[in-house]
């Protein structure tokens, strides 16, 4: 697995919705990019700024946040902790 550096976090995005609440199936071209996911790994933080999120946290992040990377055939996002809006409890 990848160990992020400094204040970066590795996030596994939640799967995109497959169908609407009323049961209509959403085609791949119309699926919205998920805005939440699970923290897989965190960096050590910066000298005077410890990390707030930890592995296993469910978080909310911006629509255009992070860089998509593939590891072992799975898609992840890597971003700075500042791009994470909050922890879902």
């Amino acid at each position: 697995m990848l160990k992020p550096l400094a204040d970066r976090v590795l996030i596994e995005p939640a799967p995109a919705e497959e169908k609407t609440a009323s049961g209509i199936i959403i085609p791949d071209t119309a699926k919205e990019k998920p805005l939440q996911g699970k923290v897989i790994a965190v960096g050590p933080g910066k000298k005077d700024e410890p990390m707030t999120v930890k592995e296993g946290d469910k978080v909310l992040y911006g629509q255009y946040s992070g860089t998509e990377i593939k590891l072992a055939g799975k898609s992840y996002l890597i971003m700075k902790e500042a791009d994470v809006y909050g922890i879902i409890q």
Side-chain angles (χ1 to χ4, degrees), residues 31-47:
K31 289 180 184 171
E32 291 187 21
K33 185 178 173 184
L35 302 177
Q36 63 183 23
K38 180 180 176 185
V39 176
I40 301 299
V42 297
K46 292 184 176 179
K47 184 179 178 184

Side-chain angles (χ1 to χ4, degrees), residues 10-22:
L10 183 68
I11 296 175
E12 181 179 7
E17 293 294 320
E18 298 287 329
K19 58 173 106 173
T20 65
S22 59

